[in-house]
Amino acid sequence: MTDSSTPTLEIRDFSLVFDTFDGTYHAIDKVNLTLRPGEAMGLVGETGCGKSVLTRAAFGLVPTPPARITSGSVTLEGRELLGLSDRALRGVRGKDVAMIFQDPMTYLNPVFRIGTQLVDAIRAQSGGKASKAEARALALEMLDKVHLPNPERQFRSYPHELSGGMRQRVLIAMALAAKPKLLIADEPTTALDVTIQAQILDLMAELVEDMGLTMIMISHDLGVVAQVCSRVAVMYAGKIVEDAPIRQIFDAPSHPYTQGLLAALPHPFKPVDKLASIPGSLPDLLNPPEGCRFAARCAKAHAACAAPVDFRTVGPGHEVACTLYDLAETKELAHEH
Amino acid sequence: MLRLILKRLGLMIVMLLGLAVITFTIANVAPGDPARLAAGPDASQEMVEQVRAERGFDKPVPVRFFIYLGQLARGDLGTSVYTGREVARDIAQFLPATLELVLFSITIAVVFGIPLGVLAAVWQNKAGDHGIRLLAVSGAALPMFWLGLMLQWYLALELDLFPLGGRLGVFDDVPPKITGMITIDALLDGDPGTAFTALWHMVLPALALSLPALAAIIRVNRAEMLEVLGRDYVTNARAQGIGPFRIIAAYALKNAILPTLAMIGLRFGWMLGGTVLVEGVFDFPGVGLYAAKAAVSSDFEPIMAVTLILGAAFMVTNLLIDLAYALLDPRVRNQI
Ligand SMILES: Nc1ncnc2c1ncn2[C@@H]1O[C@H](COP(=O)(O)OP(=O)(O)OP(=O)(O)O)[C@@H](O)[C@H]1O
Ligand code: SF4
Ligand SMILES: [Mg+2]
């Protein structure tokens, strides 16, 4: 049915606004993303740039209102998702598209047993077809797969009886039980201790390998992304500004914002220090600039940056939304530091 | 769990002692000669003095308090001047009616309040939400006493839908006394008709008693549901494809109900106090009416006894609520 040329996920021209008391907040602007089967892509950018909103809204997880999708299309293996009913989207979530989130402390329900929550999720993923016993068996199998010690016992535990790392393993088991076509991991290690972070990243890398997962991994941290992903999309103020293979991002970062991210990262495995080195602040998304959203902070900004900026291809699979790559003279400017 | 119950029962005794001190003090600083009251208006001065000596009214207040405590410990609640009977007997007669009424009222408040609070949250800012909130605001703003009068005037007098008051009609037979609660006794007696009549008599007073509690439960439950529906674990449940009914009725409600429970306990106390007013309006022969009549004739022993009994009922309810809390929330359960 789906040949290898059909992308697992294709987001085209996706824009979303929040209708707020102060006006229309242009949170996501004309985003394009393509994910091929088996690909693990990182999505990086500083806090508030729209990573979570983008990956949740695409699957109907951002309440509307206040959000409103103003343009675009989201297809999963060729099937359009925007405009689907709540019920149809529910059939997609969990089963085809799984998510794991940042804070394992808050994403499990405190008053239900781990086992109950796993069984509920697995039965929902199966569209109600799995019996309780089947769901239970699969849940225990998954807990084993994520290397949770003593699965039978944890099955009867409540979330507060587990450590953060254990809870994240439970959430990963829950997300992957249905063998989803796509996994969205939204900063799955940010809230964990460094040693636990490493264990969870190892587990994720193992699962990506074993299960042939197609994944988007969200992070502030290029170092984390580099451990699991082969490609990176860099997001700034609601727009993707650069999309490239991971090596290219480290070897030839092209967008001035990406260059700033890397400059703030002396060692690729050290976390980004909240962009301390790039002066200025995010543009006002209630009245976003028409041209490049990074212009106010960009040392290389020039007249052409005031008009809308499209993607340019600067290498194999390497695209960048920056006017520096149009003309011979500005191309030289692009790599000056 | 058992430790918690024992600890709380111990605490209850301390609190009841405190309550006894307060009511006893109030009764004894109130104007009027207790000996004269006890002896009755027609008694001669000698008879009054005789009563004073017999009942210990001539002793200092602290001594009398300990005598009173001694009586309480023996289950002797004193004698009512008004009915001329032992207070304990009066209470045994009137308490079941009040319990029946208050249990019916709290059931109404909970059975309607929780679903309405949930619906208001689910329909946030839509017409249904506005309607439910209007009910909640009016229920909170109207005094029980006035509410009772209005219900009685409109639904009983004008529309003749409900009886004006009492527990049963004049010609209805009272079922043999088992619990003293007529609905239950009638059902035990295999007489659902009388049970229904008794329930029908309680509708208006129960509405008056329950509306303020209903309003409070709606408000708290709505606010908690809104908060809980925005929590991360709800997002995760939705991300798993779990349907809205299970999310609302189980994942969210089981969390939102915890603060609501605390409110229910508090409101139950208000309801117990409210019986003093509402039973009067509906001429409902419970301890509330008994206490109100006693108050009018400065008949202190019944008032003190009713206060202690309602206080104990309030404390027991709150213990039950804390146990329910522990049952619902594993984090609380682990602490006790
Ligand atoms: N309900 C909402 N109403 C208005 N604005 C919102 C709402 N939800 C999110 N936003 C805005 O959308 C923007 C994107 O938020 P998002 O959570 O996607 O950021 P993020 O990139 O995931 O950040 P982080 O790294 O901190 O998780 C933010 O600026 C936020 O203020
Ligand atoms: S488009 Fe212009 S302002 Fe934007 S990053 Fe490129 S050079 Fe800077
Ligand atoms: Mg986020």
Side-chain angles (χ1 to χ4, degrees):
Chain A
M1 218 173 61
T2 52
D3 58 90
S4 60
S5 66
T6 310
T8 300
L9 177 71
E10 184 154 40
I11 297 180
R12 283 281 147 258
D13 201 31
F14 185 88
S15 301
L16 175 145
V17 299
F18 285 103
D19 293 311
T20 70
F21 189 71
D22 299 321
T24 308
Y25 184 91
H26 297 262
I28 308 287
D29 189 59
K30 300 200 194 70
V31 163
N32 290 302
L33 270 184
T34 304
L35 215 67
R36 308 233 153 253
E39 207 169 21
M41 189 189 81
L43 183 59
V44 299
E46 68 195 290
T47 181
C49 72
K51 306 177 297 289
S52 300
V53 167
L54 169 66
T55 47
R56 290 180 191 193
F59 309 104
L61 270 182
V62 175
T64 50
R68 185 155 50 87
I69 294 169
T70 51
S71 74
S73 109
V74 176
T75 54
L76 188 75
E77 293 189 338
R79 177 185 180 205
E80 176 64 53
L81 299 185
L82 292 191
L84 283 187
S85 67
D86 277 354
R87 174 179 286 269
L89 268 178
R90 228 185 302 137
V92 172
R93 289 197 303 259
K95 175 168 167 283
D96 295 332
V97 181
M99 299 200 185
I100 51 181
F101 302 95
Q102 175 168 354
D103 191 350
M105 300 300 178
T106 59
Y107 280 90
L108 285 168
N109 198 320
V111 298
F112 287 89
R113 288 178 202 277
I114 300 287
T116 310
Q117 298 186 55
L118 280 166
V119 166
D120 272 356
I122 289 172
R123 296 189 74 199
Q125 290 160 0
S126 75
K129 287 199 257 310
S131 72
K132 272 202 174 144
E134 285 165 346
R136 185 172 193 280
L138 179 54
L140 286 170
E141 186 191 321
M142 288 309 298
L143 289 181
D144 198 46
K145 197 163 188 153
V146 298
H147 312 307
L148 190 75
N150 227 330
E152 287 274 0
R153 210 186 102 216
Q154 308 305 358
F155 199 81
R156 288 188 306 274
S157 305
Y158 286 93
H160 72 273
E161 295 164 335
L162 272 61
S163 70
M166 287 159 88
R167 288 189 229 188
Q168 194 61 296
R169 285 176 198 270
V170 168
L171 284 162
I172 293 172
M174 189 183 285
L176 296 182
K179 303 203 169 40
K181 293 172 178 151
L182 173 66
L183 173 67
I184 312 266
D186 191 346
E187 305 196 41
T189 59
T190 310
L192 303 172
D193 296 345
V194 184
T195 47
I196 310 292
Q197 260 186 34
Q199 290 171 14
I200 296 290
L201 280 180
D202 284 348
L203 172 68
M204 302 225 16
E206 176 191 326
L207 293 168
V208 166
E209 182 97 342
D210 275 10
M211 300 178 70
L213 280 178
T214 310
M215 172 169 82
I216 297 180
M217 173 130 148
I218 297 173
S219 182
H220 303 116
D221 189 338
L222 270 169
V224 164
V225 165
Q227 287 183 53
V228 188
C229 303
S230 54
R231 231 182 86 205
V232 188
V234 180
M235 201 167 175
Y236 181 77
K239 281 177 107 63
I240 304 278
V241 293
E242 184 160 4
D243 184 341
I246 186 90
R247 279 254 61 88
Q248 288 282 307
I249 287 285
F250 283 103
D251 294 348
S254 299
H255 196 281
Y257 175 67
T258 316
Q259 292 169 355
L261 274 184
L262 280 159
L265 184 76
H267 183 277
F269 297 106
K270 197 189 151 209
V272 180
D273 184 19
K274 300 269 174 204
L275 270 189
S277 62
I278 307 181
S281 57
L282 283 164
D284 173 14
L285 292 185
L286 289 168
N287 298 292
E290 216 180 292
C292 177
R293 287 185 170 190
F294 189 57
R297 293 166 86 178
C298 181
K300 294 165 187 166
H302 52 276
C305 310
V309 188
D310 283 331
F311 271 106
R312 284 88 176 136
T313 304
V314 292
H318 187 167
E319 303 207 305
V320 60
C322 174
T323 55
L324 291 173
Y325 300 89
D326 292 349
L327 307 163
E329 61 267 31
T330 53
K331 266 185 193 158
E332 275 160 34
L333 189 63
H335 292 293
E336 266 173 25
H337 292 298
Chain B
M1 191 69 83
L2 191 68
R3 248 187 50 214
L4 173 90
I5 298 176
L6 290 177
K7 216 168 85 187
R8 291 289 300 270
L9 287 176
L11 197 64
M12 255 172 72
I13 292 174
V14 176
M15 289 197 289
L16 281 174
L17 265 178
L19 193 57
V21 171
I22 294 170
T23 47
F24 188 83
T25 311
I26 292 176
N28 280 283
V29 298
D33 179 356
R36 168 147 289 284
L37 279 168
D42 303 326
S44 66
Q45 192 57 38
E46 282 134 63
M47 284 162 79
V48 171
E49 292 312 322
Q50 191 188 342
V51 168
R52 194 185 307 283
E54 259 173 26
R55 303 276 300 266
F57 289 138
D58 52 349
K59 299 202 175 69
V61 173
V63 174
R64 277 162 52 203
F65 179 67
F66 284 102
I67 294 175
Y68 176 63
L69 277 189
Q71 284 177 4
L72 284 186
R74 273 178 273 119
D76 175 4
L77 299 175
T79 312
S80 163
V81 178
Y82 167 71
T83 62
R85 301 195 310 176
E86 278 172 29
V87 174
R89 263 190 66 195
D90 284 343
I91 286 186
Q93 182 185 340
F94 297 125
L95 187 62
T98 296
L99 280 183
E100 188 176 26
L101 177 62
V102 165
L103 289 176
F104 185 43
S105 304
I106 197 77
T107 307
I108 293 178
V110 171
V111 165
F112 289 95
I114 288 177
L116 284 175
V118 170
L119 284 178
V122 172
W123 291 333
Q124 189 190 8
N125 292 332
K126 304 215 176 83
D129 180 27
H130 292 313
I132 293 169
R133 280 160 75 190
L134 186 69
L135 175 73
V137 169
S138 20
L142 305 176
M144 274 181 197
F145 180 67
W146 185 86
L147 202 62
L149 283 175
M150 288 301 116
L151 288 169
Q152 189 181 45
W153 165 70
Y154 193 70
L155 295 179
L157 266 179
E158 288 287 314
L159 299 183
D160 201 17
L161 289 175
F162 294 95
L164 275 170
R167 294 181 82 185
L168 280 176
V170 195
F171 302 110
D172 294 318
D173 290 327
V174 180
K177 179 166 171 171
I178 302 167
T179 62
M181 301 190 220
I182 293 184
T183 44
I184 293 177
D185 288 352
L187 286 179
L188 291 177
D189 192 37
D191 181 2
T194 302
F196 183 78
T197 310
L199 203 64
W200 202 239
H201 276 75
M202 287 196 295
V203 168
L204 293 188
L207 273 183
L209 278 176
S210 61
L211 262 176
L214 176 75
I217 292 173
I218 290 175
R219 257 182 304 121
V220 175
N221 206 229
R222 175 183 181 275
E224 288 302 323
M225 280 299 288
L226 282 178
E227 147 121 40
V228 166
L229 284 172
R231 292 268 176 87
D232 290 341
Y233 48 77
V234 168
T235 304
N236 183 48
R238 295 179 61 220
Q240 305 301 333
I242 295 174
F245 186 78
R246 174 117 182 109
I247 289 182
I248 291 165
Y251 279 56
L253 184 58
K254 197 172 172 193
N255 285 282
I257 203 133
L258 297 169
T260 311
L261 269 180
M263 174 54 87
I264 292 174
L266 204 65
R267 285 293 163 162
F268 188 74
W270 286 40
M271 239 177 221
L272 289 170
T275 56
V276 174
L277 299 172
V278 171
E279 287 183 358
V281 172
F282 290 95
D283 196 24
F284 192 88
V287 284
L289 183 57
Y290 175 62
K293 285 186 173 161
V296 172
S297 42
S298 299
D299 190 3
F300 284 111
E301 285 187 316
I303 299 177
M304 295 194 308
V306 170
T307 308
L308 287 178
I309 293 221
L310 295 187
F314 180 56
M315 290 170 202
V316 170
T317 313
N318 277 286
L319 174 58
L320 290 179
I321 288 206
D322 284 357
L323 292 178
Y325 222 103
L327 207 67
L328 288 170
D329 191 337
R331 290 162 299 182
V332 175
R333 192 152 64 229
N334 277 23
Q335 281 165 20
I336 59 179

